[in-house]
Amino acid sequence: MGAVDTVRLVAAQLGVLATVGALPCAGDGVPVGDPEPVRCENGEVVLWRHQVGRGYVDVAARPCWGAPLVAFVPEGRVTPAVVRRPWPVGDPREDAAERYRQRVHDLTHLAQVVGLDEPVVRRFDRALVEEVLRPKVDTRTLPPCVRPPRQETDEWALAACVQVLLDFYRYRYDQERLASELGLGTEEAPVRGTWRDVAPAVRGLTGEALSVAVSTAPTFTEYLTEVREERPSISFVPGHARLVTGYTRMSSLRLMGAGFAGLLVQDPAEGAARWENYDAMACVGSCTARVNLVP
């Protein structure tokens, strides 16, 4: 399916999510711009990035993402980006392509029902949407006390996320100190660390005041639980770390492929927040922290 055809379906989904209050969205009638390719490290086009008002939307260029809508940024600079494919070639998770086809089928039907014949994001008649989808919506975000992370070198995404996580619990550390604790080198010679170094570093920097849990196969429910407890968490994807500060979930009893489970991700590389489709995320780990309660 071509990028223009796919983004029309994504515009329908964005419009529905905005209509039922599951996502913030651009104003009515905002067109979705022409696609710009986003490539992976070997030059393969993996995403189509479309300008939408003051933000952008990323659309899957390959079915292996499992869903057409990959990410939505309400406000943020559209900058050239290089990303990894969601799954390696030949990975068993390539069967996500079947899920992608089902979602395209359901979104095509949705676009026809709401009368969307062009790639424009707009809110629809709520009564119509509720009749068609019978949606269930659950959305929460953390208070604005969690500041967006910003990495000080190209390799220090991990340090930036740990800095904000500790800052949330009133522990103030600069990224240079954190880089030393996490084995990320120096500002002149930075290196990229792994999530395995986070737990012992956080425990040590807080004198065991925080308990830290690391998951190698995080689920959407785990992220949801942390947000409901008003705690930020760190999400790891191949080669990168981000902070999770919100979730949104819309399920449909009639069109399963039109449902959406999204995480509000603070990306230290962009310094901006975006909603990512959990079903299209290549999560390889997560880190959560909470205050140790003294008996």
Side-chain angles (χ1 to χ4, degrees), residues 219-241:
T219 65
F220 183 80
T221 301
E222 291 175 38
Y223 291 115
L224 177 152
T225 299
E226 291 304 300
V227 173
R228 285 183 172 177
E229 294 294 328
E230 298 190 348
R231 296 189 295 256
S233 58
I234 301 175
S235 171
F236 301 101
V237 293
H240 197 42

Side-chain angles (χ1 to χ4, degrees), residues 36-182:
E36 295 289 338
V38 178
R39 304 178 185 276
C40 64
E41 294 169 337
N42 66 5
E44 176 188 10
V45 176
V46 293
L47 297 172
W48 295 108
R49 181 160 290 178
H50 302 255
Q51 184 92 40
V52 181
R54 292 184 293 179
Y56 63 86
V57 60
D58 282 338
V59 180
R62 295 176 56 87
C64 63
W65 285 93
L69 176 59
V70 175
F72 172 59
V73 180
E75 293 190 30
R77 291 185 301 117
V78 179
T79 57
V82 175
V83 300
R84 294 172 181 264
R85 296 180 75 251
W87 320 119
V89 175
D91 189 284
R93 287 170 290 192
E94 286 280 2
D95 62 6
E98 179 57 37
R99 186 177 62 197
Y100 177 91
R101 285 188 283 270
Q102 181 61 49
R103 286 174 181 259
V104 169
H105 177 271
D106 283 352
L107 289 173
T108 300
H109 177 55
L110 176 63
Q112 292 171 345
V113 171
V114 297
L116 185 68
D117 56 3
E118 56 183 343
V120 173
V121 179
R122 60 183 175 85
R123 287 174 172 79
F124 305 107
D125 179 81
R126 188 180 180 97
L128 174 63
V129 170
E130 291 181 345
E131 173 60 27
V132 171
L133 295 180
R134 295 181 182 172
K136 293 184 177 180
V137 181
D138 181 17
T139 301
R140 293 194 189 185
T141 58
L142 294 184
C145 60
V146 182
R147 61 183 177 88
R150 188 75 189 207
Q151 60 195 76
E152 295 178 4
T153 78
D154 290 342
E155 308 295 337
W156 282 3
L158 183 59
C161 289
V162 172
Q163 182 183 38
V164 175
L165 183 70
L166 290 173
D167 182 75
F168 177 78
Y169 292 102
R170 303 297 186 265
Y171 291 93
R172 313 296 188 191
Y173 289 99
D174 59 35
Q175 287 188 30
E176 189 174 7
R177 169 69 187 282
L178 293 173
S180 176
E181 295 288 339
L182 294 166

